[in-house]
Amino acid sequence: MKFMTRGEKIFNVFNYIFIGLVCLLCALPIIHILAVSFSSAQYVVGGRVSFWPMGFTIESYTFAFRSGRFMTAFWVSIQRVTLGLIVNMFLLVTTAYPLSKTTQEFSARNYYMAFFAITMIFGGGIIPFYILISDLGMLDSIWSLVIPGGLPVFSMIILMNFIRGLPKELEEAAMIDGAGYFSVLALIMLPVLKPALATVALFSFVHHWNEWLLGMLFMNDPSNFPLQTYLQVLLTNFSDLIRAMGPDFMQLVARMNERSGRAAQLFLGLIPILVIYPFLQKYFTKGLVIGSVKG
Amino acid sequence: MKKKLLALLLATLMIVSFFAACTNDTPAVDTPATEAPTVDTPATPGADLEPTREHVPPPEGDWMTPFDRPVKILAAAEQGLNWFFQDGDDINNNPWTRLYAEYLNVHVEFEWTTTVDEIETRLNLAIAAGNLPDVFHIPRTADPRLFHELQSQGMLLDLTDAYRNYASQRIRDHELVDPYTIQGFTVDGRIYGIPRYYYGQIDQPWHMWFRKDWYEAAGSPEIRTVADLENLMRTFMNDFGASYGIAVDSDLEWLFRTAPMFGAYIGNIHNNEYFWRADETGRLRPGIAFPEFLVALEYWQNWFAEGFISPDFMTMDPWGRGQEDIVNGLVGVQCWWQWWGWANGPSIVGLQNNDAYFIPFNLPTLDGSTPARGQIFFPNTGVTVASANFQNPAALMKVISLVDHYVFSADTPMTPADIDYFMGEGREHAMTQIFQIIDPHADLTQFQYVLRALETGDDSELFTGGMMSKFRESRAWLDEQDPHGLGAFLQMGFAGSAYARSQHLFDHGHIVQTALWTTSLPEFAAAGNTGDLIMEEVMQIIVGNQPVEHFLTVLEQWYAQGGQIKEDAVNLHFGG
């Protein structure tokens, strides 16, 4: 067992306390939402719920499932994440590998790199973006949520740098044995890219799960909203809307008194991230430092 | 290992939840089976033809006469996330779209729908993409300049002839009730938008709400003067444990709405909503520029000093702490809308007791000779317009007339089952949307019929979905003490209800209407936000950091910072 000095022990104690408090700060809002979601409406309206349910009820969850809209949005998000992950991973691998080559091997490499890098800094604006998607006939289609973010450039750079950090001899040996670039990519590179792929897959998953603006812009029918767009609308500032709507308030009031219902749906929306994260956490930590090895 | 176990547990939870939901995703368990209405519909001519967006000559006859061949309207509208459709139905295929097709041979298809707070963005995108739908709705919440910009750029259709020739008499009669609203959508004598109108001015006056059990225990005193009100607040604080006298929140709206007690009419400054009326010279001025507002400020300053207003009011979010104090029994007086029962009723009954809900009274005045006057603001809820390329405006007018006939007319021979079919679970709101022109007498009529039905016990004369639901909810409170019925009961279910109080104000002329009969004016954009200055300085006066006279200086600053632009614009458009 490693010997620890007194100073190190004290540091460790304070370190654990500090990290514990930070963790608590992160966890408390989630615990509060969970408590609200299981509480009766009057206790929520009365501000009596902190971290433990008051007037325990599962009505909010029953409402979320019965209303149909939550589950529809949940299903759209599942489709989006699945398709998004497949498209992202395919484009990431097939882009990062050639761009990891030097200009001696791939003469146009820098031009392609500049082309991709520009998109990280400049955008075309919402209206041209909308017109493009509209002209491509992708409005109200799941592809409008998948294709525009098909190649996440930041993740591509992470993957590219990881490939550059691999020993050249791996690829050279395969080439000597007669493998082409596609064989090298599929048979040699992919297996050793596992940590980096897991990292960018996590980024991709989180992005597709949390992104809400595209759903708002490109989905003509709210029943096609992905979950985060649905939740974003649900969390709109009701009091401002009530004032603005004047007498036509009844629908809004009904929603305003559903704070516990919203909390339940927020928590349900969190579950997939909570499920995926433990599986990918070790790769995630590893992946975060990949980009810093070689740039 | 623990991590894997946790992940496994969470994965199992998600999968179980997902499959549990998928096995029961019917919108509502007790939804009545979809049944065809008993209302007779005429045979649909040309049923074998595809609906067209090309011009189809309108048929001879009144608005009820169907087109000779199917007409298609491509529409866009706002849609709420909590609207339910029956099994197999959706926004394009539901009781209402089927009715339009069967009755008028008009097929409505929604090109897109979005939520009410996003419709302006979607409209702007549609304009940019050059694909405005045939018919769409500009809600009250949208930028008021949007209509005028679209009209001035030739993107809206002149609806005048279609409106005059094909809208029902009932729709056109709304102009007699309120001749000014449609003027806001008329340019050079031509009508470019059909206002959606509103449920009635009866829902606008605010009332002073008192906690019922405390009020009755205090001997149900008559509250005619401001001094009476102060005595009641003192009693609630001294004898019933109220922490302070009257609910006031950080945006001050609940306090500002008490201004009519002092003869001041000011609206909600937080939202830059001013109340405009003529001074002795005939010039239109905002309520804050009248001397009565200084009287109100003096009273409010005293109320704060005496503890009638919470010392924490400046940090109280109206939908957070402000509401919490009410339902937790910390305050027994609140100036509020007529729909208090929906906002707070179930919670306060659940946390306190069945008699702890608040009951409405008209606002007192300084001398007590009459109740304070009810303030009426511009109430229109939006406008239905058509794109310049739309070929069949007569079809739009016919659909509008049909919706009105079913939703508001007493002539529609609808049974309770029909009403449920067309209007149950929010279907009226969800599906009629842009085609619904609200009867400006709707709430008044509803109140009179529901109150009579409750008094006599005979509900056979109720003829709209709104009437039926308000009657049922009121009965649920009276018979079973169901707190979810409190909203309707307090609004219109007894002789002392909010609408009964408002009716008294209208009957005796205790009403004052703002001169600004629109949501905004184009010139207001140059004036910017003038409300923050007033809000900040009024708070300083209320808490006693500044004397009441300080407001005269503030008023000068207000005029300099954009108020003058607003006042000139209001006088230009509505003065004289």
Side-chain angles (χ1 to χ4, degrees):
Chain A
M1 187 177 167
K2 189 193 167 197
F3 174 76
M4 290 175 75
T5 64
R6 183 185 164 84
E8 284 174 329
K9 283 178 183 169
I10 293 172
F11 173 79
N12 269 356
V13 169
F14 278 101
N15 207 13
Y16 277 117
I17 292 173
F18 177 71
I19 298 293
L21 285 174
V22 171
C23 290
L24 202 61
L25 280 178
C26 296
L28 285 181
I30 298 173
I31 296 170
H32 175 68
I33 285 175
L34 192 60
V36 167
S37 71
F38 282 112
S39 297
S40 298
Q42 69 262 31
Y43 295 103
V44 178
V45 175
R48 299 187 181 190
V49 183
S50 50
F51 303 114
W52 194 253
M54 300 278 288
F56 184 88
T57 175
I58 58 165
E59 267 184 29
S60 305
Y61 290 89
T62 310
F63 173 81
F65 289 134
R66 277 190 183 170
S67 72
R69 286 292 173 90
F70 175 84
M71 288 314 299
T72 307
F74 194 95
W75 176 237
V76 172
S77 276
I78 296 282
Q79 292 176 66
R80 177 187 182 169
V81 167
T82 308
L83 291 172
L85 263 179
I86 293 169
V87 171
N88 282 169
M89 299 313 289
F90 177 76
L91 291 178
L92 278 171
V93 170
T94 51
T95 311
Y97 178 55
L99 289 179
S100 69
K101 303 295 174 195
T102 61
T103 46
Q104 282 79 32
E105 293 172 277
F106 180 19
S107 57
R109 185 248 174 215
N110 285 351
Y111 296 106
Y112 278 102
M113 199 58 225
F115 175 78
F116 287 124
I118 282 172
T119 65
M120 295 177 75
I121 305 165
F122 301 106
I126 282 184
I127 289 177
F129 190 17
Y130 176 83
I131 292 173
L132 175 67
I133 297 296
S134 173
D135 288 350
L136 289 172
M138 291 201 297
L139 288 181
D140 235 5
S141 154
I142 189 75
W143 295 108
S144 66
L145 307 178
V146 172
I147 300 294
L151 179 66
V153 179
F154 178 73
S155 295
M156 190 269 286
I157 291 172
I158 287 180
L159 205 57
M160 183 186 75
N161 283 334
F162 189 89
I163 297 172
R164 284 180 157 191
L166 296 174
K168 289 268 180 227
E169 292 77 9
L170 273 176
E171 193 174 0
E172 287 169 2
M175 292 282 191
I176 289 167
D177 287 342
Y181 283 114
F182 284 105
S183 304
V184 170
L185 177 61
L187 302 174
I188 308 296
M189 289 297 168
L190 282 183
V192 295
L193 279 177
K194 251 172 54 179
L197 289 176
T199 305
V200 294
L202 184 64
F203 285 155
S204 174
F205 179 89
V206 171
H207 165 76
H208 281 295
W209 191 260
N210 286 343
E211 201 280 333
W212 61 268
L213 183 64
L214 296 187
M216 194 68 85
L217 289 178
F218 300 140
M219 289 303 168
N220 283 336
D221 186 343
S223 63
N224 289 330
F225 279 176
L227 187 60
Q228 298 306 324
T229 309
Y230 169 82
L231 292 176
Q232 198 275 342
V233 173
L234 211 63
L235 295 171
T236 305
N237 188 332
F238 297 120
S239 57
D240 282 353
L241 270 178
I242 285 169
R243 285 200 200 89
M245 290 291 285
D248 201 6
F249 52 81
M250 303 287 273
Q251 296 277 339
L252 297 168
V253 176
R255 286 156 64 184
M256 185 189 71
N257 284 334
E258 285 167 5
R259 267 193 265 173
S260 49
R262 293 201 301 268
Q265 297 181 51
L266 274 175
F267 184 73
L268 287 169
L270 267 178
I271 289 180
I273 294 286
L274 294 177
V275 170
I276 293 293
Y277 198 81
F279 286 114
L280 298 180
Q281 190 193 12
K282 63 179 175 185
Y283 297 116
F284 181 70
T285 316
K286 198 171 180 178
L288 278 179
V289 295
I290 288 171
S292 64
V293 175
K294 196 171 182 182
Chain B
M1 187 61 196
K2 277 182 183 171
K3 204 160 54 186
K4 282 187 176 173
L5 190 64
L6 174 67
L8 195 65
L9 272 174
L10 289 169
T12 311
L13 176 64
M14 189 178 76
I15 291 164
V16 169
S17 305
F18 190 72
F19 280 105
C22 290
T23 55
N24 185 17
D25 59 355
T26 315
V29 170
D30 54 354
T31 301
T34 307
E35 290 172 2
T38 57
V39 184
D40 289 333
T41 54
T44 311
D48 53 331
L49 298 172
E50 277 295 306
T52 178
R53 291 173 69 204
E54 299 298 315
H55 176 68
V56 176
E60 295 291 327
D62 63 12
W63 68 266
M64 293 186 182
T65 313
F67 278 86
D68 295 331
R69 60 157 300 169
V71 172
K72 181 176 176 180
I73 296 178
L74 206 54
E78 62 263 30
Q79 185 187 162
L81 287 174
N82 55 344
W83 288 338
F84 296 106
F85 293 102
Q86 290 179 309
D87 280 345
D89 282 1
D90 56 36
I91 191 75
N92 289 322
N93 179 25
N94 56 60
W96 289 97
T97 54
R98 290 192 286 272
L99 184 75
Y100 310 148
E102 289 163 12
Y103 211 107
L104 300 171
N105 216 2
V106 175
H107 296 254
V108 172
E109 186 180 317
F110 286 87
E111 186 175 19
W112 51 262
T113 57
T114 188
T115 55
V116 68
D117 43 328
E118 289 298 326
I119 195 159
E120 193 176 351
T121 306
R122 291 304 304 265
L123 277 176
N124 286 328
L125 290 172
I127 292 164
N131 58 357
L132 269 178
D134 293 338
V135 176
F136 55 99
H137 179 225
I138 302 175
R140 180 188 174 90
T141 48
D143 186 332
R145 288 171 294 180
L146 186 57
F147 169 83
H148 295 286
E149 283 171 6
L150 287 170
Q151 191 279 327
S152 63
Q153 290 170 27
M155 300 175 86
L156 297 184
L157 188 68
D158 178 353
L159 297 171
T160 315
D161 296 335
Y163 174 74
R164 300 280 178 229
N165 297 324
Y166 299 104
S168 68
Q169 189 62 45
R170 267 185 54 83
I171 293 284
R172 283 178 283 137
D173 280 351
H174 294 345
E175 276 188 76
L176 303 176
V177 179
D178 176 354
Y180 302 109
T181 298
I182 201 166
Q183 292 302 320
F185 307 107
T186 303
V187 180
D188 296 332
R190 309 300 291 175
I191 298 167
Y192 287 88
I194 310 299
R196 194 173 182 231
Y197 291 101
Y198 41 88
Y199 288 97
Q201 296 185 355
I202 194 173
D203 55 25
Q204 286 217 34
W206 281 42
H207 304 286
M208 199 60 83
W209 294 76
F210 304 138
R211 183 166 155 165
K212 180 174 174 280
D213 52 352
W214 292 357
Y215 177 73
E216 288 174 352
S220 303
E222 193 174 12
I223 309 297
R224 295 178 66 87
T225 66
V226 174
D228 293 338
L229 175 66
E230 290 175 338
N231 285 334
L232 186 71
M233 290 194 284
R234 212 168 277 122
T235 305
F236 283 0
M237 291 168 68
N238 294 338
D239 300 345
F240 299 100
S243 297
Y244 52 96
I246 184 167
V248 176
D249 69 311
S250 57
D251 76 15
L252 293 181
E253 183 173 19
W254 304 346
L255 188 65
F256 285 157
R257 300 282 182 167
T258 68
M261 298 196 305
F262 314 102
Y265 308 97
I266 57 174
N268 180 14
I269 312 299
H270 179 73
N271 285 0
N272 279 290
E273 177 193 43
Y274 299 92
F275 193 96
W276 299 86
R277 62 192 176 105
D279 64 10
E280 65 276 6
T281 67
R283 183 168 174 79
L284 298 175
R285 304 182 72 197
I288 53 171
F290 285 78
E292 290 87 349
F293 185 55
L294 297 179
V295 179
L297 283 175
E298 194 173 343
Y299 269 88
W300 295 338
Q301 194 180 57
N302 288 338
W303 284 4
F304 183 80
E306 282 201 51
F308 290 150
I309 293 174
S310 167
D312 303 329
F313 83 93
M314 283 198 283
T315 57
M316 286 166 66
D317 169 12
W319 299 111
R321 170 78 190 283
Q323 199 181 12
E324 286 171 17
D325 282 4
I326 290 162
V327 300
N328 284 321
L330 300 181
V331 62
V333 177
Q334 186 182 27
C335 186
W336 229 65
W337 286 282
Q338 31 74 20
W339 47 282
W340 190 98
W342 280 282
N344 298 310
S347 298
I348 199 167
V349 166
L351 291 176
Q352 305 299 324
N353 63 69
N354 274 1
D355 284 325
Y357 60 88
F358 286 30
I359 47 177
F361 292 86
N362 287 327
L363 272 61
T365 49
L366 287 172
D367 65 7
S369 57
T370 62
R373 293 201 279 174
Q375 299 177 102
I376 303 297
F377 292 86
F378 178 67
N380 185 49
T381 52
V383 60
T384 294
V385 293
S387 88
N389 298 324
F390 181 43
Q391 299 293 313
N392 294 296
L396 169 62
M397 296 304 151
K398 284 169 175 284
V399 172
I400 281 174
S401 304
L402 184 64
V403 170
D404 171 73
H405 184 65
Y406 268 65
V407 176
F408 295 112
S409 169
D411 299 331
T412 313
M414 292 175 81
T415 66
D418 296 331
I419 289 173
D420 210 33
Y421 175 79
F422 284 108
M423 299 167 197
E425 292 189 311
R427 280 189 282 282
E428 171 196 338
H429 289 285
M431 301 168 196
T432 59
Q433 269 298 322
I434 57 173
F435 302 115
Q436 191 180 101
I437 306 301
I438 304 168
D439 179 351
H441 277 148
D443 267 12
L444 176 62
T445 313
Q446 189 182 82
F447 159 61
Q448 290 167 338
Y449 275 77
V450 169
L451 187 60
R452 188 158 59 236
L454 287 167
E455 285 171 348
T456 62
D458 175 14
D459 64 352
S460 61
E461 289 187 355
L462 305 180
F463 58 85
T464 70
M467 289 178 185
M468 297 288 279
S469 65
K470 297 282 176 66
F471 175 80
R472 286 177 194 158
E473 288 170 27
S474 298
R475 280 255 62 99
W477 169 252
L478 289 167
D479 298 340
E480 302 154 30
Q481 299 281 284
D482 177 355
H484 294 99
L486 260 178
F489 176 72
L490 292 175
Q491 185 190 53
M492 60 174 65
F494 67 108
S497 66
Y499 277 0
R501 303 287 185 198
S502 296
Q503 177 73 61
H504 176 82
L505 296 179
F506 281 95
D507 288 348
H508 294 83
H510 301 316
I511 289 295
V512 57
Q513 182 172 303
T514 182
L516 178 65
W517 210 242
T518 179
T519 50
S520 185
L521 290 170
E523 293 88 344
F524 282 9
N529 178 1
T530 55
D532 287 351
L533 169 73
I534 302 290
M535 288 291 295
E536 177 65 29
E537 297 300 332
V538 163
M539 281 204 186
Q540 294 303 319
I541 292 170
I542 290 172
V543 299
N545 290 344
Q546 293 286 353
V548 170
E549 295 71 33
H550 171 66
F551 189 76
L552 296 173
T553 312
V554 175
L555 195 59
E556 286 175 14
Q557 291 173 345
W558 181 82
Y559 273 108
Q561 290 183 14
Q564 190 66 53
I565 296 173
K566 289 193 171 184
E567 187 175 299
D568 291 345
V570 172
N571 278 279
L572 177 69
H573 292 275
F574 297 98

